[in-house]
Amino acid sequence: MIEERTEPMVTHQTLAAWRAGLAKIRGNERQRAVPLSVETGRLLETVGQALAQGGAALSTNDIAQIEALTSVDASYS
């Protein structure tokens, strides 16, 4: 039997807060004319896709990075 690893689902409210925080970081990068962080862009896209799908299980590594960047702790459903 193959075990399937499932990550907990992050709430819609958390995803929305993360998206807003990451978008703000991205906007600040553009405004300061600094090179845009590839990782911030990837995380913003990941969170945006999760929101568009009505939720998604994100990797614990991505969650930790997003929490550190946005200062918003994950809430799970």
Side-chain angles (χ1 to χ4, degrees):
M1 175 182 241
I2 298 174
E3 271 187 53
E4 195 172 309
R5 196 174 117 216
T6 59
E7 303 293 337
M9 296 291 283
V10 177
T11 64
H12 180 80
Q13 293 83 2
T14 298
L15 291 169
W18 284 350
R19 186 175 183 284
L22 291 168
K24 185 176 181 178
I25 291 168
R26 200 71 160 158
N28 288 339
E29 289 174 342
R30 284 189 177 101
Q31 192 173 33
R32 289 184 281 133
V34 297
L36 298 176
S37 165
V38 173
E39 188 64 8
T40 301
R42 184 188 71 76
L43 293 171
L44 181 58
E45 183 176 326
T46 299
V47 171
Q49 287 176 355
L51 274 170
Q53 295 170 2
L58 303 176
S59 74
T60 54
N61 186 41
D62 283 350
I63 290 171
Q65 288 179 333
I66 295 166
E67 287 177 326
L69 285 171
T70 65
S71 299
V72 176
D73 292 334
S75 293
Y76 299 96
S77 50

